[in-house]
Amino acid sequence: MTTQLSITTPDDWHLHLRDGNALNTTVPFSAKQFQRAIVMPNLAQAITNTDRALAYRQRILDAAPEGNSFQPLMVLYLTDDTSVVDIKQASESKHIVAAKLYPAGATTNSSNGVTNITRLAPIFNAMQTDGILLLVHAEVVDSNVDIFDREQVFIDKHLCAIRRDFPQLRIVLEHATTQQGIQFVEESNNTAATLTPQHLLFNRNDLLVSGIRPHNYCLPVLKRETHRQALVKAATSGSPKFFLGTDSAPHATQAKETNCGCAGCFTAHAAIELYTEVFEKEDALDKLEGFCSFYGADFYGLPRNKSTITLIKKQWSAPEHYSFGEQTLTPFRQETPLSWKLQT
Ligand code: NCD
Ligand code: ZN
């Protein structure tokens, strides 16, 4: 039995750090295990241009522990008003590597997202030319589409067309949750997907059986077991099209344990441990390093990290809460002990 494991320092290719006071909680958790992170731009005031992205990057760096070399990689938030000039400017800054497509209304802080995807053609064209990746929240928002079908419908209705029309555009299907999402990525060139710990570990029963569990609620919502199994198979297959993206998305405990709770699981307190558990259960620890530390960097065209981290097989439990500005934050998988611990 493996009881100690060293891998190249991983990167998180999908992360929500929030802003203000929250950064003092979120940044150290990610910085202790990840060298780089793709920082999602869905702040209350969205990161829609280069100036905002660079100012936000500086606030993140200011919140990193002394001497830590955590590197935030910034993302532009696409709106109906994004211009080709916005893309050009972003591509001239080495700190901005991607732009995120949120269908308006699909998730947290997406009200300024895109309402008409076909009108973004000139933007996608500029991104393709300038080497800016397209990151997609792949869910339709039509009220007549069942929430469990929203990923598949988005792929059929929108993603297939974008893929066909901009063949050189590098696309990441963010937080893939379905068998159909996996299949789309496998069959498409220049296309990859991030996979979250919650979608690899849990299915929708973990959200809804024996009481509703707000800290397991995120978007896209957890799916049925067959989908979870397809994700695990993809993650542990050794395919470079699938890589780590936690989608760690903190909301204050009160904002989740309420009448209309926010979507998002805070997983950054134990992200690498959660992934290690998934790979160990599949007897695929030999595939962990590629998924966590190599394939994301390769897809983004960035160098692989040189340093390493070490994990120890050891039971521990996350605390009930962490402090989060004036409020508290309830970590994901708080109820049952974790089986690996990052050595610090
Ligand atoms: C994310 C958030 O809260 O910012 N929530 C979530 O459930 N994943 C947004 C997102 O990635 O959809
Ligand atoms: Zn997210």
Side-chain angles (χ1 to χ4, degrees):
M1 189 179 67
T2 311
T3 56
Q4 181 170 334
L5 192 63
S6 289
I7 58 168
T8 301
T9 305
D11 304 302
D12 186 350
W13 301 98
H14 184 135
L15 175 65
H16 301 269
L17 290 171
R18 312 305 188 203
D19 206 352
N21 252 345
L23 293 175
N24 298 320
T25 301
T26 57
V27 176
F29 277 120
S30 291
K32 76 176 175 182
Q33 60 198 303
F34 296 113
Q35 179 62 54
R36 295 170 288 202
I38 283 286
V39 181
M40 287 294 150
N42 63 330
L43 301 184
Q45 188 189 47
I47 304 298
T48 51
N49 60 47
T50 297
D51 286 352
R52 282 187 193 170
L54 296 183
Y56 183 34
R57 175 176 176 273
Q58 191 56 51
R59 296 196 292 281
I60 295 165
L61 290 174
D62 292 344
E66 271 301 295
N68 183 285
S69 61
F70 180 66
Q71 223 185 312
L73 303 171
M74 308 312 289
V75 178
L76 227 54
Y77 180 112
L78 296 175
T79 73
D80 289 342
D81 299 324
T82 303
S83 69
V84 169
V85 174
D86 290 328
I87 300 299
K88 199 91 268 94
Q89 270 174 2
S91 74
E92 283 160 7
S93 157
K94 63 179 188 296
H95 300 303
I96 305 176
V97 296
K100 178 85 186 261
L101 168 59
Y102 289 103
T107 188
T108 308
N109 293 335
S110 63
S111 54
N112 296 316
V114 174
T115 61
N116 186 341
I117 294 174
T118 51
R119 287 222 302 254
L120 283 182
I123 304 301
F124 295 152
N125 196 43
M127 290 169 63
Q128 176 171 251
T129 306
D130 295 340
I132 295 284
L133 278 79
L134 175 65
L135 315 183
V136 186
H137 184 109
E139 287 194 291
V140 292
V141 294
D142 318 34
S143 58
N144 58 341
V145 177
D146 189 277
I147 191 164
F148 292 101
D149 299 332
R150 288 180 175 199
E151 181 170 295
Q152 184 185 352
V153 173
F154 187 94
I155 292 168
D156 294 345
K157 223 172 135 178
H158 302 292
L159 207 48
C160 286
I162 302 173
R163 184 63 294 162
R164 183 195 62 220
D165 295 345
F166 305 94
Q168 300 309 318
L169 180 63
R170 275 171 293 160
I171 298 178
V172 184
L173 169 50
E174 295 296 335
H175 41 51
T177 63
T178 60
Q179 163 72 62
Q180 291 85 356
I182 299 297
Q183 196 184 339
F184 172 79
V185 169
E186 282 171 342
E187 291 171 354
S188 306
N189 292 333
N190 286 326
T191 307
T194 50
L195 298 169
T196 79
Q198 66 268 27
H199 294 103
L200 290 168
L201 286 165
F202 283 173
N203 64 38
R204 63 197 196 181
N205 283 8
D206 297 293
L207 175 65
L208 296 169
V209 171
S210 308
I212 190 159
R213 294 175 194 278
H215 301 292
N216 293 346
Y217 172 59
C218 64
L219 288 170
V221 73
L222 293 170
K223 302 297 191 304
R224 64 165 67 239
E225 176 62 9
T226 47
H227 292 296
R228 189 193 71 82
Q229 286 173 8
L231 306 187
V232 170
K233 191 163 164 233
T236 58
S237 67
S239 163
K241 287 174 155 283
F242 301 99
F243 46 82
L244 185 159
T246 62
D247 193 21
S248 181
H251 293 276
T253 303
Q254 284 169 311
K256 290 189 67 70
E257 297 177 3
T258 183
N259 187 38
C260 183
C262 292
C265 302
F266 178 66
T267 52
H269 65 298
I272 196 65
E273 289 95 333
L274 291 163
Y275 284 109
T276 305
E277 199 175 303
V278 172
F279 280 70
E280 185 187 34
K281 273 194 205 138
E282 289 305 297
D283 204 12
L285 283 174
D286 60 320
K287 302 286 197 308
L288 183 71
E289 185 177 44
F291 177 84
C292 298
S293 315
F294 295 160
Y295 305 148
D298 296 351
F299 191 76
Y300 274 77
L302 295 168
R304 292 180 179 182
N305 295 323
K306 299 235 162 23
S307 54
T308 57
I309 59 160
T310 298
L311 289 141
I312 309 285
K313 180 106 193 187
K314 178 186 172 189
Q315 282 227 338
W316 65 288
S317 292
E320 259 177 55
H321 297 120
Y322 294 107
S323 67
F324 190 49
E326 310 282 274
Q327 298 176 293
T328 67
L329 183 57
T330 304
F332 175 77
R333 252 292 292 279
Q334 198 279 320
E335 326 74 46
T336 48
L338 297 146
S339 51
W340 289 86
K341 185 95 184 84
L342 178 73
Q343 202 173 47
T344 44

